[in-house]
Amino acid sequence: MDSYWKPKVTFGGYYGKNINGPLPVQNDVFGFNIGIQTQLGSTTNQSSLNSGVQTDGTGIQRIPGFGPQFVGRGENAFNSTNFNLFDDLSYSRKIYEGQITLSDAIRNQRNLEIALEADIYKSLEKLNESWQVIRISNAKFYQNAEAWKAAVLKFDRGFMKSVELLNYESELLRSLDDLCLGYSSYIEASYELAYSLGVSNEELLLVRKEKSKGNSIFNELMKSGYFEVVSKADGK
């Protein structure tokens, strides 16, 4: 599209025989031609230089742009120029269509880049949000666990009813459920981020799953024997 205005140059040649008398008299003719074609918008200009040689006699040669011409012995040269106004409107239309197509492609590429950036940003926000949820859920779970242990002691000493103790256990289990949801949301967000970046989740090193080796507060408390509380409630 950017080079349409550049001139086109053509080279050619010919060799043949003509007859200007009774057979079998024949004269050799040969020559060459140079053509230049330029284009300005939909207007074309074509010029050609032709030079030929006839060995003997006279004859008729068909000269492009001039038709049949009488030529004699020796060199014969002629020039022709054709200036055609608006004879290639389809070429201009193709150029404009190409410019429009290029603009559409650039715009679509930019829209795709913006959409990808938005997806990555949303995935990062979701990942950070899930991480904060895990932190809050860890703290909430630990507080409910401490409240539950205190409730067990009160129940053992007769200062709390079993129904009240069940409420503390219910809150503890609910906070454990929230903690599990936080971890699952974080894992899901890590996979979404990896998908948006076009890499595997293992390359990001945001999540590593190993059975019985979790680092949640619940797992740490379980390994330390935090929940091994003997209470009268166990017999009931």
Side-chain angles (χ1 to χ4, degrees):
M1 182 181 66
D2 296 333
S3 302
Y4 79 96
W5 58 270
K6 295 180 179 179
K8 301 178 179 65
V9 181
T10 59
F11 297 93
Y14 67 90
Y15 172 80
K17 294 179 180 292
N18 66 7
I19 300 173
N20 64 338
L23 294 177
V25 178
Q26 294 182 341
N27 302 307
D28 294 325
V29 292
F30 55 89
F32 69 93
N33 58 73
I34 301 174
I36 299 178
Q37 179 177 339
T38 58
Q39 184 156 355
L40 180 61
S42 58
T43 299
T44 60
N45 176 36
Q46 185 169 4
S47 300
S48 61
L49 169 64
N50 298 268
S51 179
V53 176
Q54 182 169 281
T55 57
D56 193 13
T58 59
I60 301 295
Q61 292 188 20
R62 181 172 295 276
I63 301 175
F66 295 92
Q69 299 291 319
F70 178 83
V71 296
R73 178 180 178 183
E75 294 184 4
N76 301 281
F78 60 91
N79 296 325
S80 64
T81 299
N82 295 320
F83 192 71
N84 304 310
L85 294 174
F86 310 113
D87 68 327
D88 198 4
L89 293 176
S90 62
Y91 191 82
S92 298
R93 187 184 70 249
K94 291 177 182 178
I95 292 176
Y96 293 134
E97 290 175 350
Q99 292 173 338
I100 294 173
T101 302
L102 177 61
S103 299
D104 291 340
I106 294 174
R107 184 176 64 254
N108 292 335
Q109 179 184 5
R110 182 55 186 160
N111 290 336
L112 179 60
E113 291 175 352
I114 293 174
L116 290 174
E117 291 174 359
D119 289 341
I120 293 173
Y121 178 78
K122 288 190 294 185
S123 298
L124 283 172
E125 286 295 306
K126 185 176 180 181
L127 190 71
N128 291 329
E129 180 182 349
S130 301
W131 181 254
Q132 295 301 324
V133 168
I134 291 175
R135 292 182 59 189
I136 295 172
S137 298
N138 275 328
K140 184 178 179 181
F141 177 79
Y142 183 73
Q143 290 175 354
N144 287 335
E146 287 289 302
W148 171 76
K149 290 189 71 174
V152 170
L153 293 176
K154 289 182 180 179
F155 178 79
D156 289 341
R157 297 172 182 176
F159 295 107
M160 181 177 291
K161 297 180 181 180
S162 59
V163 175
E164 295 175 320
L165 179 61
L166 289 175
N167 289 333
Y168 281 96
E169 291 178 350
S170 178
E171 287 296 324
L172 180 61
L173 292 175
R174 188 177 293 109
S175 62
L176 178 60
D177 185 59
D178 292 339
L179 180 60
C180 292
L181 288 176
Y183 273 102
S184 63
S185 297
Y186 179 83
I187 294 174
E188 180 182 354
S190 69
Y191 276 94
E192 289 182 3
L193 179 60
Y195 179 79
S196 300
L197 293 174
V199 298
S200 64
N201 193 60
E202 289 74 14
E203 292 182 46
L204 291 180
L205 299 177
L206 294 174
V207 176
R208 186 174 65 187
K209 294 177 289 185
E210 295 184 25
K211 188 176 181 180
S212 302
K213 294 184 179 180
N215 57 357
S216 68
I217 187 173
F218 172 72
N219 190 62
E220 295 297 327
L221 293 177
M222 285 288 294
K223 290 189 293 186
S224 65
Y226 181 88
F227 296 102
E228 296 177 3
V229 179
V230 180
S231 170
K232 296 178 181 179
D234 296 336
K236 298 181 180 182

